[in-house]
Amino acid sequence: MRDLFVVVTFAAYALTNGCGDDRQVAPSTTNAAAPAPASAPVTVPPAATPPNPADIPSSSLVVTGPIIVEHQLDVTAQRDGVVTKLLSDVSSRVKAGALMAQLDDRQIVANLEAARSKTRAIDAEIRDLKAEAEVIQADYGRAQRRWDLGLISEEELQHAKYKAESEQWEIKRVVEQRGIAVQEERSLELELEKTRVTAPFSGLVARRYVREGQNVAKGDRLFWITAESPLLMRFTLPEKYFGRLHHGQKFEVTSADLPGEKHTASVREVSPVIDPASGTFEVLVELAADHGKFRPGMNAALHIASSPGNAP
């Protein structure tokens, strides 16, 4: 029994040493791919190269915006009052300085007449004082001659002298009063002008906000007047166009609402600086005088080539 145990133990020890052999076993190549030759170069696809901006075909830049005019504003009341007369209405054309409406001016007219009467009264007083001053000056001259003859005392001579000087100062005081009266008169004339609502420039009445008999306050809108020409467009361009636009350069202008019309606009102003916040600069163009059915407020499109120097 002991011999059998020794045989079994020896067999187990031999088996354990055989399995623990750490020699590498060649890998199986049944399903493995054949290795590439060492001399065969590996082809790498080229990286994508960004296109050169010079190789991009030029395309036109379209700038859209409203057509504007330089003169366009609300005509407001310059003083409180009641509208007594309307001489202009919507769609009527007015010239610069033309009367458009009239406010009640009766009180101002009465005050102005009183101021003018006061001025005339002061003028009469000045003439009277000047005449009296001539008399006093003559008395002073006579007193000097009598003093030379020793007929009057020195006190009487001094009295005549001071009276003549006092009369001259009185004339100056009244002349200053006349200046105040004239300025009051001028102030009332200006208030009277404010009752006459006139057109600040020649144009078209687009809106009317008041009616006859309405009481208006200073600053209330009365009319909206707009000029009809010249027609302008104001827009901004990227800084890459800076230096490529010049005064008088012409571009084509169209409108989606008027597909059959094409007009020309020329550069009127170019901003000399670039806005650092947006990287753009401002351009103002003026449409040709023959602008067809184009009107202020319409949306239009201005076509600018990628190379503005080649614009028509």
Side-chain angles (χ1 to χ4, degrees):
M1 188 67 179
R2 184 168 40 182
D3 294 338
L4 178 62
F5 175 77
V6 171
V7 172
V8 172
T9 302
F10 180 79
Y13 176 79
L15 180 62
T16 301
N17 289 339
C19 293
D21 189 8
D22 54 355
R23 290 177 298 176
Q24 290 185 346
V25 180
S28 175
T29 59
T30 304
N31 298 324
S39 60
V42 179
T43 304
V44 180
T49 304
N52 188 348
D55 299 334
I56 301 177
S58 62
S59 59
S60 62
L61 173 67
V62 180
V63 180
T64 60
I67 297 176
I68 61 175
V69 288
E70 186 171 356
H71 299 297
Q72 188 177 78
L73 54 80
D74 286 326
V75 179
T76 59
Q78 298 186 27
R79 71 182 315 275
D80 301 346
V82 178
V83 180
T84 58
K85 188 183 298 184
L86 288 173
L87 293 91
S88 299
D89 209 337
V90 178
S91 299
S92 61
R93 288 178 170 81
V94 294
K95 293 184 177 181
L99 184 64
M100 302 178 66
Q102 176 69 52
L103 303 182
D104 186 8
D105 60 355
R106 293 173 296 176
Q107 185 63 53
I108 299 177
V109 170
N111 294 341
L112 179 58
E113 288 301 324
R116 289 172 176 171
S117 297
K118 182 179 179 180
T119 303
R120 290 192 294 269
I122 294 176
D123 288 338
E125 184 179 359
I126 291 174
R127 288 193 294 269
D128 181 66
L129 288 174
K130 286 183 177 180
E132 186 176 353
E134 293 293 333
V135 174
I136 294 175
Q137 187 66 30
D139 291 343
Y140 175 57
R142 185 167 55 254
Q144 283 183 322
R145 291 191 297 271
R146 294 179 68 187
W147 162 257
D148 293 338
L149 297 174
L151 300 176
I152 60 174
S153 64
E154 184 178 358
E155 288 78 6
E156 290 176 322
L157 178 62
Q158 293 296 327
H159 178 77
K161 176 184 177 182
Y162 293 146
K163 186 175 181 180
E165 291 180 355
S166 175
E167 193 65 19
Q168 293 299 321
W169 286 113
E170 181 67 15
I171 292 175
K172 291 181 179 180
R173 183 185 66 82
V174 178
V175 168
E176 291 298 324
Q177 287 184 346
R178 183 186 184 279
I180 295 175
V182 169
Q183 293 304 319
E184 291 177 353
E185 185 178 332
R186 177 57 180 162
S187 177
L188 290 171
E189 288 175 350
L190 292 175
E191 288 298 320
L192 183 61
E193 289 181 9
K194 293 177 183 179
T195 64
R196 297 168 52 86
V197 181
T198 57
F201 51 82
S202 299
L204 178 69
V205 179
R207 294 175 188 170
R208 174 172 62 86
Y209 300 104
V210 294
R211 59 186 182 277
E212 289 187 359
Q214 181 176 342
N215 190 9
V216 296
K218 181 180 179 180
D220 286 352
R221 295 185 301 175
L222 306 178
F223 301 94
W224 180 33
I225 181 173
T226 175
E228 297 182 271
S229 62
L231 300 184
L232 310 171
M233 281 187 68
R234 190 183 299 274
F235 54 90
T236 58
L237 289 177
E239 60 180 302
K240 70 177 182 179
Y241 289 90
F242 191 76
R244 301 184 185 180
L245 275 70
H246 55 81
H247 186 273
Q249 191 170 356
K250 299 183 182 300
F251 299 101
E252 184 181 86
V253 180
T254 60
S255 175
D257 298 328
L258 300 171
E261 291 196 28
K262 293 182 180 180
H263 298 282
T264 303
S266 58
V267 177
R268 179 170 168 179
E269 295 177 6
V270 179
S271 175
V273 297
I274 298 175
D275 181 10
S278 61
T280 60
F281 64 98
E282 192 173 85
V283 182
L284 179 68
V285 299
E286 179 180 337
L287 274 71
D290 183 16
H291 47 70
K293 296 181 180 179
F294 280 29
R295 292 294 182 269
M298 293 179 61
N299 284 322
L302 185 136
H303 303 268
I304 303 177
S306 292
S307 299
N310 300 329

